[in-house]
Amino acid sequence: MTTSVMRTLRNYIGGEWVDASPSDCLEITNPATVEPLARVPLSTRRDVDQAVAAARAAFPAWRAVPPVVRARHLFQLKQVLEQHFDEVSHIITRENGKTLDEARGSLRRGIENVEHACGIPTLMMGRTLEDIAAGIDCEYVHQPLGVFAAVTPFNFPAMVPMWFWPYAIAAGNTFILKPSEQVPLTATRLVEVAQEAGLPPGVLNVVHGGKEAVDALLAHPDVVGISFVGSSAVARHVYEEAAKHGKRVQALGGAKNHIVVLPDADLDRAVTSVTESLFGCAGQRCLAGSVVVTTGNAYAPFRDRLLGAAKNLRLGYGLDAGVTMGPVVSGRHKERVLSYVEAGRRDGAELLLDGRATRVERYPRGHFVGPTVFDGVRPEMTIGREEIFGPVASVTRVADLDEAIDVIGRSSYGNATSIFTTSGRAAREFRYRVGVSMIGVNLGIAAPMAFFPFGGTKGSFFGDLKAHGQDAIEFYTDKKVVMSRW
Ligand code: NAD
């Protein structure tokens, strides 16, 4: 296929697919096969203005639709998503590279947000108190606010956008999604599918693009709030710009997650879970473990088991049977990951398993990096501090739980962390003291489900209200308080 006949994606605005205004396009390729898939336009401020105008026009009628009827659209949406489940999962694997099982799991997690948002009549209820003073009653109601937007990353093309728009529209707002320009096909297909759920035009819109489109959303006076997920540097930019323009903002950033293994842990079970955490989705997860902090004599047996498990992973194209780890998302990202391997060597860490030269015979041009393991990583080293976002794991050894908690406390990130132990007391101590927001106890991926809040602390999160859970309702609505005397 040549680029001249390749499909150029369109924006979805006011219920119609429209061409973006003339602008640059990026070519989207399959990271395993490098087959070109489509071209994505880098929309301009004009396109954003058009989408905001459509969303704004749709708001008054949509907010007047009773919550119970809005919920019926979401029930319908859930059904159509189930009908297209396999097809969308395949698109995720083709454009992002994760294995089909991982794609299915992530889409399932996304759909759970639609299921949760179906409860909007209950989730959105306010509260009342009679006689706040003699003969005066007080109540508050949750009201939608207008046009919200989300800007999302490449690593979960379906799930992360679905942390946001189902709640925002269920609550009566209208919405603009700006998906990652690296994986725009999934969002495109999901919105096509969502049309089958009969959402009125303008309620859900998609604008493709990169920085220009994002900055236009951040500055637009008719956008009331922004949900963002991506790297910390961009999260901070989004937080600052959105705040400067008077908007609500929740900005979820990057991560550097530590996994603590105590000597009393069930090491065989721990290693399965930790391997999945380190190398699942080729390490491109904000919840991925990155540094394994072993205490005392857990070190040598755990390191050996981990090496064995890492060597057993089967690298390849995520749609091929038996593959347990796919490529990273792009050639550029592969270069970045490899530069971290080099930095680890330069800083004096010991490279126990080197995935740099790993090839997949059938796909010689794919962006594959084999599982890579460093030993002797210290917190001040580049690979001990910075997010790598690839299948590069570090093992380190400390004296005890106190020192492990200290290592975690020195990180500039605070997204997720896990502990493996059979001691309830140690687990309790860990969860009580550690300054990280999502904690796993004998679980490698501490992923809150749709009905709990999701987000970190420190450099991993900018804002107050987190993604999904009850926080979503708080974020996407105003609490209007009414006091009455008759
Ligand atoms: P990214 O920050 O490069 O891009 C995210 C989004 O921001 C994209 O839609 C992109 O178009 C836009 N963007 C990029 N640069 C911009 C700029 N200068 N100005 C305005 N907008 C810009 O992130 P990515 O590489 O797509 O995703 C990986 C990152 O996302 C990792 O750091 C990962 O930890 C993070 N992430 C975090 C969570 C979480 O829950 N905290 C979840 C998933 C991913």
Side-chain angles (χ1 to χ4, degrees):
M1 200 189 286
T2 66
T3 51
S4 58
V5 295
M6 217 194 312
R7 165 186 178 210
T8 300
L9 299 180
R10 303 171 101 192
N11 293 330
Y12 186 66
I13 296 177
E16 288 182 15
W17 293 98
V18 296
D19 288 328
S21 52
S23 60
D24 292 338
C25 282
L26 296 178
E27 190 176 282
I28 306 304
T29 56
N30 179 322
T33 64
V34 301
E35 165 208 7
L37 300 172
R39 285 155 51 89
V40 64
L42 297 177
S43 299
T44 63
R45 188 171 296 273
R46 242 183 77 202
D47 303 305
V48 168
D49 287 347
Q50 208 186 333
V52 176
R56 193 178 169 204
F59 175 60
W62 181 241
R63 75 154 282 195
V65 172
V68 70
V69 178
R70 293 200 299 260
R72 278 182 205 132
H73 284 283
L74 286 152
F75 278 110
Q76 226 174 320
L77 183 62
K78 147 85 177 158
Q79 282 195 342
V80 294
L81 288 170
E82 294 298 346
Q83 282 155 14
H84 295 275
F85 189 87
D86 260 332
E87 179 212 339
V88 175
S89 301
H90 278 73
I91 297 173
I92 295 172
T93 295
R94 278 209 301 277
E95 71 173 348
N96 167 280
K98 63 183 78 207
T99 68
L100 190 56
D101 274 353
E102 290 168 343
R104 286 194 177 116
S106 69
L107 181 56
R108 177 59 54 213
R109 279 295 171 96
I111 292 175
E112 282 161 6
N113 290 279
V114 177
E115 293 167 354
H116 186 217
C118 285
I120 202 68
T122 313
L123 294 172
M124 229 179 132
M125 277 181 187
R127 303 186 77 176
T128 310
L129 183 68
E130 275 184 343
D131 290 326
I132 54 161
I136 301 181
D137 301 333
C138 185
E139 66 186 303
Y140 79 75
V141 292
H142 284 278
Q143 286 199 339
L145 284 157
V147 180
F148 279 88
V151 176
T152 53
F154 78 79
N155 64 326
F156 284 103
M159 179 185 78
V160 170
M162 288 162 90
W163 286 353
F164 303 115
W165 59 262
Y167 300 101
I169 66 173
N173 302 286
T174 54
F175 206 80
I176 299 166
L177 172 64
K178 203 303 285 172
S180 166
E181 66 276 38
Q182 297 190 72
V183 291
L185 289 162
T186 305
T188 301
R189 187 63 190 131
L190 279 175
V191 171
E192 279 170 3
V193 164
Q195 283 176 277
E196 295 173 31
L199 290 174
V203 170
L204 177 61
N205 306 275
V206 174
V207 175
H208 292 293
K211 181 170 171 56
E212 182 176 349
V214 175
D215 287 346
L217 286 167
L218 298 179
H220 200 296
D222 292 334
V223 174
V224 293
I226 301 276
S227 301
F228 173 86
V229 182
S231 57
S232 287
V234 183
R236 181 183 282 278
H237 163 73
V238 167
Y239 183 65
E240 290 174 353
E241 279 301 301
K244 195 168 93 189
H245 290 91
K247 301 185 194 318
R248 291 185 171 205
V249 53
Q250 47 180 190
L252 286 71
K256 184 78 183 173
N257 303 319
H258 296 79
I259 297 181
V260 177
V261 181
L262 300 190
D264 62 15
D266 176 339
L267 293 188
D268 288 328
R269 286 173 76 174
V271 82
T272 307
S273 188
V274 174
T275 306
E276 166 56 25
S277 176
L278 300 169
F279 301 115
C281 297
Q284 301 164 113
R285 265 201 288 226
C286 70
L287 297 176
S290 179
V291 180
V292 185
V293 185
T294 57
T295 75
N297 56 19
Y299 165 69
F302 190 81
R303 179 202 54 193
D304 296 346
R305 281 174 171 82
L306 178 64
L307 270 180
K311 285 176 187 161
N312 275 337
L313 291 168
R314 217 180 122 220
L315 199 59
Y317 182 21
L319 290 184
D320 290 346
V323 167
T324 52
M325 193 171 103
V328 298
V329 72
S330 66
R332 205 172 58 145
H333 192 57
K334 177 174 172 174
E335 287 310 311
R336 186 171 179 273
V337 172
L338 298 189
S339 75
Y340 275 110
V341 180
E342 205 35 57
R345 279 162 50 96
R346 230 182 13 247
D347 287 351
E350 188 190 348
L351 191 50
L352 296 181
L353 182 63
D354 184 355
R356 287 178 296 176
T358 312
R359 297 279 172 272
V360 174
E361 220 170 279
R362 225 175 128 198
Y363 307 103
R365 295 176 59 216
H367 310 308
F368 295 100
V369 181
T372 298
V373 181
F374 276 104
D375 196 0
V377 174
R378 293 191 309 277
E380 63 276 14
M381 291 179 176
T382 305
I383 59 166
R385 281 185 288 120
E386 294 187 13
E387 178 177 45
I388 301 172
F389 224 53
V392 179
S394 299
V395 182
T396 185
R397 175 187 205 171
V398 297
D400 53 22
L401 182 58
D402 277 347
E403 200 181 335
I405 292 173
D406 182 56
V407 166
I408 295 168
R410 288 166 65 184
S411 174
S412 61
Y413 294 100
N415 210 43
T417 186
S418 292
I419 187 168
F420 286 83
T421 180
T422 48
S423 159
R425 183 160 186 230
R428 201 263 172 191
E429 181 78 4
F430 183 76
R431 58 183 270 181
Y432 187 78
R433 284 175 50 197
V434 87
V436 174
S437 299
M438 295 180 275
I439 308 267
V441 176
N442 296 318
L443 288 168
I445 306 277
M449 292 184 75
F451 24 89
F452 284 99
F454 192 117
T457 184
K458 299 206 267 184
S460 296
F461 183 71
F462 302 86
D464 316 281
L465 293 166
K466 296 187 170 175
H468 56 63
Q470 189 60 27
D471 277 22
I473 309 304
E474 301 290 326
F475 187 73
Y476 292 125
T477 61
D478 182 35
K479 289 196 278 290
K480 184 179 275 182
V481 189
V482 183
M483 281 143 281
S484 315
R485 175 161 54 198
W486 290 101

